Amino acid sequence: MLNNATTNPLAEQKNTGVSEAQIAVHWPEEAYLPPTSEFVAQAYLTDTGIFARCAEANFPECFKEYAALLDWYEPWNKILDTSNPPFWRWFVGGRINACYNCLDRHLAKDKNKAALHFVPEPENELAQHITYQELFVRVNEFAAVLRDFCGLKAGDRVTLHMPMVPELPITMLACARLGIIHSQVFSGFSGKACADRIVDSESRILVTMDGYYRGGKLLDHKANADTAVTEAAKDGQRIDKVLVWQRYPMTISTASKFVAGRDFIVNDVLKDFRGKRVAPVEMPAEAPLFLMYTSGTTGRPKGCQHSTGGYLAYVAWTSKYIQDIHPEDVYWCMADIGWITGHSYIVYGPLALGASSVIYEGVPTHPDAGRPWRIAEELDVDIFHTSPTAIRALRRAGPGEPTKYDFHFKHMTTVGEPIEPEVWRWYHTVVGKGEAVIVDTWWQTETGGFLCSTVPGIHKMKPGSAGPALPGIYPTIYDDEGVEIAVGANTAGNLCIRNPWPGIIQTIWRDPERFVSQYYARYCRDRNSKNWRDWPYVTGDGAMQAGDGYYRILGRIDDVINVAGHRLGTKEIESAALMVAAVAEAAVVPVADPIKGKVPDVYVSLKPGTAPSKEIANDVSAAVITEIGSIARPHQVIIVPDMPKTRSGKIMRRVLAAISNHQEPGDVSTLANPEIVERIRDAVS
Ligand code: WTA
């Protein structure tokens, strides 16, 4: 079961006053803001008839127009195959290549257009503007390396551990050209975290980079590859070759040694493949395009498996109609390509449309909070896409900075976490200069693309709300018993999507059972049913729907902490803490943070006979950083004499969460050791 009575935080929190849901339902509804008439006049989608065309009576045929945005070698013959729920198959019989759709088909008209604008973090380094023709050449040459030097073929997996550089989309597209399944690991993750993903995906090849800039430092990234290869080998997965891109061609930006016969500098290998062309491989629509590992309710990250045809159709459509990207626009999504937002809305969606997409290497506030606005001014960016965490950080560091620069956004996106109306208003008036329309897009790694958002040329904006469901998406909110919560009831519940859509993951890599149990078991009405209506998708998010149909997302109801828009499993952090020999138990809870949204507090109790010490707390922090990466850095490590426990021995995390957030822990009478609460509170203060 996904949630039972004792582990469902939403249920637990109801009694305690710490429920995000409860707080949220008392938030006042904000006033609407209409998009400007200039925006509406140029918007692709202003016909409200789209919602009738995509109503349930026309499902799944309504998704035909999504597939029609792509070029197919062979048209599909069945739009949706539901014969094996919940393993939906979209555009069955179709044959397609994602790389062809992102590159080759644009060359006739747009070979001279910038596909990518790369902005290095050091401000004295020039931006690179990579045309579609140049990208085509570089992708072909690297595809030849993958095929002829590495011996890879369609269906094989390759792990990428790449920073924000153009070589990352080049590598992804080269894989896609050959039907190779790429699995990009966020560059901020440690070598060990990379190893876990290498092992799970059974990759033999690791593609990485020698170094990259972050916060003013040239980081030695290749060192992580050495750890990854060693750690993966311990778990039985051998890496045959490590391909190392260079941050500065002709120079080696790493102190780590190159292992002969294993580690290769890509630019050296490429010399033998200059000018090579590789025909795109015609893949079935349902062939996996990539894996994206994400945190779930148990310690092991899960490999979300995205399809080729359905995924690409969904991100192309949403890029066109929700991002409203036109051929002449300069579009900048400031997410990291290591996350799903970057895959869908820096690489695949924009490039499928033949757009110009910006890649920025570094930290938004480096060297100061004016940096993004200088980039926007220089490149004349007119569509901007970022997260509430970045917006909060820029607002804190330089609230007036945007007014100093001459740039004009017509469209802005916020994604990844709920955004506070105050922060939204700064984004709108100061960054957007009152001119830009804002879409608050709600979605997940698993969903491939946006599920809830206003359509920017149709709907009014409402700060703090993601907006209604996208055309063709039919959400519902269930209470813990599976009863639908009425629209406008102002009650939080479990947000579910009743129908399949083309962007949904196909399964969890090598773990179909987990796919079913995680996303469908909870509210499935009949496990034998072939009718999609019996298989609602469980998002794991708490939400409420206002009377106007707009959804307000209240955060995760499973054991996931969303730090700065990065999803971390509490269990992953706990298992890292438990690697410190002195630690007996660990419990991780989210703490509200004005910039990052949430940060983890790590509570540990020690093994008997061990005295608490600053060293142990430091070791716990270090273990978390080694195992996961510095994004998971604990806010505090608190050594407690014992954990608050139920009589059955379960740690009551909600009590710890209340203490960390300076709230009342509520009813503690069900604890086996209620007296511990005061002692923990003392330890924290
Ligand atoms: C949260 C990121 C509020 C949500 C695309 C979801 C949001 C999780 C929003 C997915 C939003 C995403 N408003 N919360 N607009 N967008 N979330 O998989 O809790 O990294 O389940 O995908 O982020 O995170 P993921």
Side-chain angles (χ1 to χ4, degrees), residues 20 388-390 392-393 395-396 417-418 420 423 561-565 589-601 633-636 660-662:
E20 285 189 48
T389 289
R392 289 184 211 110
R395 175 174 178 253
R396 182 155 90 175
E417 309 146 71
E420 301 79 357
V423 178
I561 297 189
N562 198 328
V563 181
V589 297
V591 186
D593 179 271
I595 299 295
K596 295 180 174 173
K598 294 280 192 298
V599 289
D601 260 359
R633 183 189 302 278
H635 167 247
Q636 298 182 85
S660 275
N661 288 287
H662 310 292

Side-chain angles (χ1 to χ4, degrees), residues 540-609:
D541 275 333
M544 53 168 288
Q545 192 182 19
D548 56 12
Y550 283 41
Y551 290 89
R552 177 169 261 184
I553 311 297
L554 307 164
R556 312 278 317 169
I557 50 173
D558 51 19
D559 293 331
V560 172
I561 297 189
N562 198 328
V563 181
H566 303 160
R567 222 166 120 179
L568 301 169
T570 50
K571 296 282 195 302
E572 290 173 275
I573 305 176
E574 289 169 9
S575 47
L578 287 166
M579 297 181 81
V580 175
V583 172
E585 290 173 307
V588 170
V589 297
V591 186
D593 179 271
I595 299 295
K596 295 180 174 173
K598 294 280 192 298
V599 289
D601 260 359
V602 181
Y603 286 84
V604 292
S605 63
L606 303 182
K607 289 181 181 154

Side-chain angles (χ1 to χ4, degrees), residues 22 286-287 386 395-396 459 584 590 627:
Q22 274 197 336
E286 326 91 85
T386 193
R395 175 174 178 253
R396 182 155 90 175
H459 297 116
E627 288 297 304

Side-chain angles (χ1 to χ4, degrees), residues 128-189:
Q128 297 170 23
H129 309 281
I130 301 175
T131 63
Y132 271 95
Q133 177 67 18
E134 182 181 348
L135 191 59
F136 171 78
V137 168
R138 295 188 67 186
V139 166
N140 270 274
E141 290 176 349
F142 192 64
V145 169
L146 293 176
R147 187 187 63 188
D148 302 338
F149 181 70
C150 300
L152 291 166
K153 55 176 191 325
D156 292 343
R157 278 81 55 206
V158 169
T159 297
L160 285 52
H161 196 199
M162 295 280 296
M164 283 291 283
V165 290
E167 288 76 9
L168 171 50
I170 287 170
T171 305
M172 290 162 65
L173 291 168
C175 290
R177 197 161 187 85
L178 295 165
I180 296 166
I181 304 168
H182 57 75
S183 166
Q184 152 71 5
V185 179
F186 172 57
S187 58
F189 276 140

Side-chain angles (χ1 to χ4, degrees), residues 188-199:
F189 276 140
S190 65
K192 175 65 168 56
C194 182
D196 295 342
R197 289 151 177 82
I198 288 171
V199 172

Side-chain angles (χ1 to χ4, degrees), residues 261-483:
R262 187 198 78 181
D263 300 348
F264 299 91
I265 294 173
V266 174
N267 290 323
D268 292 346
V269 180
L270 272 172
K271 287 181 189 138
D272 296 333
F273 296 90
R274 286 281 173 249
K276 278 270 181 324
R277 295 289 184 270
V278 173
V281 177
E282 298 183 15
M283 298 299 293
E286 326 91 85
L289 179 61
F290 65 85
L291 305 179
M292 168 67 61
Y293 282 86
T294 189
S295 303
T297 48
T298 63
R300 221 156 34 86
K302 46 187 193 235
C304 288
Q305 177 184 320
H306 278 288
S307 73
T308 305
Y311 170 82
L312 197 63
Y314 199 71
V315 298
W317 194 95
T318 46
S319 293
K320 179 161 182 180
Y321 294 110
I322 304 298
Q323 297 291 282
D324 203 56
I325 309 176
H326 289 61
E328 63 278 14
D329 290 328
V330 180
Y331 166 83
W332 181 15
C333 171
M334 210 168 60
D336 195 291
I337 301 175
W339 306 112
I340 191 69
T341 304
H343 274 50
S344 299
Y345 297 113
I346 297 177
V347 180
Y348 283 113
L351 296 185
L353 296 181
S356 298
S357 182
V358 178
I359 296 179
Y360 172 54
E361 178 178 32
V363 178
T365 49
H366 184 83
D368 57 68
R371 187 68 196 278
W373 323 127
R374 289 196 289 279
I375 294 171
E377 184 182 77
E378 176 180 330
L379 299 178
D380 199 16
V381 174
D382 59 352
I383 306 182
F384 184 64
H385 184 155
T386 193
S387 65
T389 289
I391 301 168
R392 289 184 211 110
L394 290 163
R395 175 174 178 253
R396 182 155 90 175
E401 283 297 308
T403 56
K404 299 184 189 160
Y405 299 94
D406 183 19
F407 67 91
H408 293 272
F409 296 148
K410 64 172 177 177
H411 181 296
M412 305 194 300
T413 301
T414 164
V415 64
E417 309 146 71
I419 183 166
E420 301 79 357
E422 258 323 286
V423 178
W424 191 101
R425 275 188 279 273
W426 179 79
Y427 195 35
H428 184 251
T429 51
V430 182
V431 180
K433 305 186 177 182
E435 302 160 347
V437 67
I438 296 182
V439 290
D440 182 343
T441 58
W442 169 80
W443 60 299
Q444 308 177 301
T445 302
E446 295 85 345
T447 73
F450 308 145
L451 293 188
C452 288
S453 168
T454 49
V455 176
I458 293 180
H459 297 116
K460 291 181 188 140
M461 306 169 255
K462 191 164 74 174
S465 291
L470 256 59
I473 304 295
Y474 321 130
T476 185
I477 299 175
Y478 290 122
D479 69 12
D480 287 336
E481 280 70 50
V483 178

